[in-house]
Amino acid sequence: MNETMICAVGRVATQPVYREMASGPSARFRMAVTARYWDREKNMWTDGHTNFFTVWANRQLATNTAASLTVGEPVIVQGRLKVRTDVREGQSWTSADIDAVAIGHDLAWGTSAFRRAGKLETASAPTQAEPNWETPPGDSPDRIPDSADTAAQQPPGVAVLT
């Protein structure tokens, strides 16, 4: 309940590393987040300080992250912030990790094509026809279909109530 949720916008700094763990798939990558500000003296945008986060993804998010991201791509990551301190060889180290809930490309910098990840089919799952959401050629989106049109567009075995 009292977790620090953040949304970080930056770039992929390292290639995602994918691992199959006992608890399920896991992936991690480093993310660089650089503040930018308008420098009035130079009359141009200037880079400020860069923060680096280690982003952790689990389960299906890990699989999709490893298949989708490469170094340099702009990303948006939402997740739980975890700040850790550690002592290594007598020195104190602090790291900021994000336990990701959602990861996506930042579309302000380019385009992205979504592809649904393949799911494992189960024998007991009934198969249903996908509804046809597109307007048939020649039909105007403003025209209201009559009951005969609606029945003709339905897959076999689906009842149409009018």
Side-chain angles (χ1 to χ4, degrees):
M1 277 211 222
N2 293 327
E3 297 174 328
T4 305
M5 296 294 289
I6 67 166
C7 183
V9 179
R11 299 217 174 234
V12 177
T14 63
Q15 189 62 33
V17 176
Y18 178 83
R19 299 276 189 260
E20 283 287 340
M21 312 291 277
S23 59
S26 179
R28 75 173 191 281
F29 66 93
R30 297 279 286 162
M31 177 182 185
V33 178
T34 303
R36 291 183 54 86
Y37 65 94
W38 181 257
D39 189 338
R40 290 183 181 150
E41 292 175 7
K42 296 178 183 176
N43 201 30
M44 61 186 284
W45 286 98
T46 305
D47 287 343
H49 179 75
T50 300
N51 291 307
F52 287 90
F53 298 94
T54 300
V55 178
W56 294 90
N58 297 303
R59 295 175 294 284
Q60 189 64 43
L61 182 58
T63 304
N64 295 342
T65 295
S68 301
L69 300 182
T70 59
V71 174
E73 292 181 340
V75 291
I76 301 172
V77 175
Q78 181 181 11
R80 290 175 283 284
L81 178 65
K82 310 274 183 171
V83 179
R84 304 171 198 271
T85 56
D86 191 18
V87 177
R88 296 182 213 156
E89 300 174 5
Q91 289 188 337
S92 179
W93 290 81
T94 302
S95 65
D97 297 354
I98 300 174
D99 185 12
V101 173
I103 300 172
H105 286 112
D106 183 353
L107 299 181
W109 295 97
T111 62
S112 184
F114 177 80
R115 289 181 309 275
R116 187 171 300 277
K119 293 183 181 180
L120 296 175
E121 296 286 329
T122 58
S124 63
T127 58
Q128 294 181 346
E130 194 67 31
N132 184 6
W133 297 106
E134 295 181 10
T135 304
D139 279 0
S140 168
D142 298 330
R143 186 175 76 85
I144 299 172
D146 61 9
S147 60
D149 289 341
T150 306
Q153 292 177 4
Q154 296 298 324
V158 176
V160 177
L161 299 176
T162 55

